Amino acid sequence: MMRAWEVARAWFDAIVLEPGREMRWSFLPPLMVYFAYGASGLTSVVGTFFVKDYLDLSAAVIAGLGFWIGLPWALKMPVGHLVDLMWRRKWVLVFFGAGLISASFLIMFGLATRVVWMADVMSVTAWYVLAALLSPCGYVVQDAVADALSVEAVPKLDETGAPLDDETKRVLHTTMQTLGRVALIGALSAVAALNITLFSGIDSLPEAAKDAVYGRVYLIALVIPVISVSGVLLAMVQQRRQIAALMAAGLARTEAEAQFAPEGGAVKPNWSYFIGGAAFVALSVTLGVSDIAFAQELIFAGSFTIVIYLMRQLITVLEPAKARALIGTAIIIFIFRATPLPGAGATWFTIDELGFDQQFLAVLSLITSVLTLVGMFVLRPLMANHTIVYIVVLLTAASGLLALPNIGLFYGVQTWTAALTNGIVDARFIAILDTAMESPLGQIAMIPMLAWIARNAPDNLKATFFAVMASFTNLALSASSLGTKYLNQIFTVTREVAGPDGTVTAQADYSHLGLLLIVVAGITVALPLLAVAVVQNSRLRTTD
């Protein structure tokens, strides 16, 4: 009995208490910026119902819009390099990002509350697209600064002033990146709980009252950019206090300020990043406003080429073995994230056919975020003691298994299980159980790679390294959106659309959804496992 207690105590210490001991006050500013990004989930539920109720867009078109929304993340390349160049004044970029995010929320508030003059300027759909694009642009800018702050937050010296050893720095970087994901998921948990309250009883409200609730959500969301701005202000205060303490200890101001400058001296502008970013913007805008066939595909191909070129330049500063390992790891993560999703049709089915309302979707969101948070602590030893390849293979197998309940819900398994359990195991029970099992998987794969970058990137190019690698892996999400669009064009899913007078203009048709779910599950398992097999049997083999 005593032995079991000792094992349990050791497990609790490693899982819960150790990250707390490794926490530093300097970690707080980047955690606040990451928290603000996670809090953006406050508008996810209202956004889903706004699109479904007010915009006559097909699932394929929404998937295509997801492609455009994901593209700003490829701009982390020039933004990240700009952060390195503006190291002492990087806080300015957070204010700029906060302005973009605030503008997006204000536009959506106007649409939700039916502000009259907006429809006279341009269509509701055009306003929605503008808001959908402004928000990720703001988060991209803030995320690039948060990555830089997360590196700056890890101390280089111990309490006695001696340099920290490599193992201690590795642990602190892993903790910082883990806590960054914890802050993000913790914010998702908080806003999911808030959504449950905000959407309580909304089904019984008239349309005008629903619009008011939607508008209130977007007004509350204006707190999000305030949090991120507060984070960088706190970082400035912390740094000034530390500089003052060093000066009080006898250092000159220049010497004290040098303690917070990147090693290796000032960063010289690498115009390739800005030229590549400008080429990306020019390509995207030119093709985006044209009627050229396959514009999204051409933009993706061009963006991919630009990112690969910049990655090739960047990894030349690494040792050959590390460069090859980084390339192999990035390829595996890219394929893992590039697998397609079922698209909006699956959510429409749960709303129309299974009766999942706004409040229940908020409950699912809360379960997802809370269990992801718990899973990140519980699986922390797994991430610390196993390679990225091992983690990706494990998550891929789990994703395939956890796709089965959703497939079963489409084919009516809940009718059978409810009959056997006196109504206990119904559609909502299965959805909650599946969400509970799947929740911890999404964020796990990125943590080891982020920690690897933080440890191995040159000290004066941390933000650039984060940005270029993030651009590469985030392009995978654009590839995922393209794949989702293609599958939704093959397996067409439509929901019922009614005009203002109640006249039905489009009928619901979910007959192809089952096959769509099966194909997506198959691709989700096959592609990552194939990527692992190819990479691990090549010169790009990774053991980190």
Side-chain angles (χ1 to χ4, degrees):
M1 184 70 179
M2 183 63 68
R3 174 62 180 168
W5 166 251
E6 291 176 354
V7 171
R9 186 173 62 179
W11 179 88
F12 183 80
D13 182 81
I15 296 299
V16 179
L17 300 183
E18 185 176 345
R21 289 194 295 270
E22 294 166 1
M23 173 67 182
R24 302 290 188 273
W25 281 111
S26 58
F27 290 2
L28 188 56
L31 293 181
M32 292 176 69
V33 183
Y34 286 132
F35 183 91
Y37 179 40
S40 64
L42 176 65
T43 61
S44 60
V45 173
V46 65
T48 297
F49 277 84
F50 181 86
V51 171
K52 180 180 180 295
D53 295 340
Y54 299 133
L55 300 181
D56 186 10
L57 300 176
S58 68
V61 170
I62 293 173
L65 180 58
F67 170 84
W68 295 108
I69 292 173
L71 277 182
W73 288 96
L75 284 173
K76 277 194 75 174
M77 298 178 297
V79 174
H81 194 53
L82 185 62
V83 171
D84 283 326
L85 294 173
M86 297 177 57
W87 191 261
R88 293 187 185 278
R89 295 179 177 82
K90 53 185 175 291
W91 56 270
V92 173
L93 296 175
V94 174
F95 280 84
F96 177 70
L100 296 178
I101 296 167
S102 299
S104 174
F105 290 150
L106 288 172
I107 289 172
M108 290 305 300
F109 169 77
L111 294 180
T113 55
R114 312 294 180 91
V115 174
V116 177
W117 63 264
M118 294 181 70
D120 296 331
V121 176
M122 56 184 180
S123 68
V124 171
T125 300
W127 277 112
Y128 173 76
V129 171
L130 176 61
L133 292 175
L134 284 176
S135 185
C137 288
Y139 287 120
V140 165
V141 173
Q142 293 196 347
D143 195 60
V145 177
D147 289 341
L149 289 173
S150 72
V151 176
E152 191 178 48
V154 175
K156 301 173 185 176
L157 308 175
D158 63 17
E159 292 81 0
T160 65
L164 295 173
D165 60 83
D166 289 341
E167 177 61 22
T168 301
K169 287 191 288 186
R170 183 192 68 80
V171 170
L172 287 176
H173 277 299
T174 300
T175 300
M176 176 67 250
Q177 297 305 324
T178 301
L179 292 176
R181 302 302 100 182
V182 168
L184 192 152
I185 303 303
L188 285 172
S189 303
V191 298
L194 181 59
N195 269 330
I196 293 173
T197 302
L198 292 172
F199 292 125
S200 177
I202 192 172
D203 266 354
S204 60
L205 297 178
E207 288 302 315
K210 288 183 181 180
D211 293 344
V213 172
Y214 291 167
R216 190 181 310 128
V217 171
Y218 284 111
L219 280 183
I220 294 173
L222 289 172
V223 174
I224 294 172
V226 174
I227 295 173
S228 58
V229 167
S230 300
V232 294
L233 291 176
L234 176 61
M236 294 168 63
V237 171
Q238 287 181 344
Q239 190 171 110
R240 287 179 180 177
R241 292 184 64 180
Q242 289 172 310
I243 290 174
L246 291 173
M247 292 174 63
L251 289 181
R253 174 173 289 278
T254 54
E255 293 176 318
E257 291 178 347
Q259 300 298 314
F260 301 93
E263 295 178 4
V267 179
K268 295 181 179 179
N270 185 333
W271 294 105
S272 297
Y273 297 112
F274 298 113
I275 294 171
F280 166 79
V281 172
L283 180 68
S284 301
V285 173
T286 301
L287 293 178
V289 299
S290 69
D291 293 326
I292 298 175
F294 304 107
Q296 291 181 350
E297 289 77 3
L298 291 172
I299 292 172
F300 176 78
S303 304
F304 190 84
T305 302
I306 293 170
V307 172
I308 292 297
Y309 169 72
L310 296 176
M311 278 184 63
R312 186 174 181 276
Q313 282 201 322
L314 193 61
I315 62 176
T316 56
V317 302
L318 295 177
E319 299 172 7
K322 286 185 176 181
R324 288 194 297 270
L326 180 58
I327 293 171
T329 301
I331 290 173
I332 291 172
I333 296 293
F334 182 92
I335 299 299
F336 178 76
R337 302 187 79 187
T339 52
L341 301 173
T347 304
W348 297 341
F349 175 82
T350 63
I351 295 171
D352 291 342
E353 302 298 323
L354 302 182
F356 293 0
D357 56 18
Q358 294 95 327
Q359 189 175 38
F360 184 69
L361 289 182
V363 170
L364 290 181
S365 178
L366 176 61
I367 293 172
T368 298
S369 52
V370 169
L371 292 181
T372 299
L373 196 61
V374 173
M376 288 171 66
F377 279 103
V378 173
L379 297 176
R380 184 172 173 271
L382 175 75
M383 293 184 284
N385 300 320
H386 292 86
T387 65
I388 296 175
V389 170
Y390 178 92
I391 294 170
V392 168
V393 170
L394 182 66
L395 296 181
T396 298
S399 297
L401 289 174
L402 294 174
L404 297 178
N406 287 325
I407 296 172
L409 284 175
F410 174 79
Y411 288 105
V413 69
Q414 66 274 15
T415 304
W416 176 66
T417 56
L420 291 177
T421 60
N422 292 322
I424 296 176
V425 185
D426 59 2
R428 294 195 174 203
F429 183 95
I430 293 173
I432 290 174
L433 182 64
D434 182 55
T435 299
M437 295 172 65
E438 188 177 9
S439 296
L441 305 183
Q443 292 285 335
I444 300 302
M446 287 302 295
I447 293 176
M449 185 172 181
L450 293 172
W452 192 98
I453 295 171
R455 294 196 314 271
N456 293 283
D459 188 77
N460 62 343
L461 288 173
K462 294 290 189 182
T464 305
F465 246 85
F466 266 107
V468 173
M469 297 309 301
S471 295
F472 179 71
T473 53
N474 284 326
L475 271 177
L477 300 182
S478 295
S480 174
S481 295
L482 285 176
T484 302
K485 182 184 74 170
Y486 298 149
L487 291 177
N488 275 269
Q489 289 173 342
I490 297 170
F491 306 102
T492 305
V493 178
T494 60
R495 88 282 197 191
E496 183 179 288
V497 177
D501 59 353
T503 303
V504 175
T505 57
Q507 296 291 338
D509 182 3
Y510 296 108
S511 58
H512 297 122
L513 180 58
L515 189 54
L516 172 62
L517 294 173
I518 293 171
V519 171
V520 167
I523 294 175
T524 298
V525 173
L527 283 185
L529 295 182
L530 179 62
V532 168
V534 171
V535 168
Q536 293 301 90
N537 287 282
S538 71
R539 295 177 67 246
L540 303 178
R541 177 183 176 85
T542 174
T543 58
D544 203 340

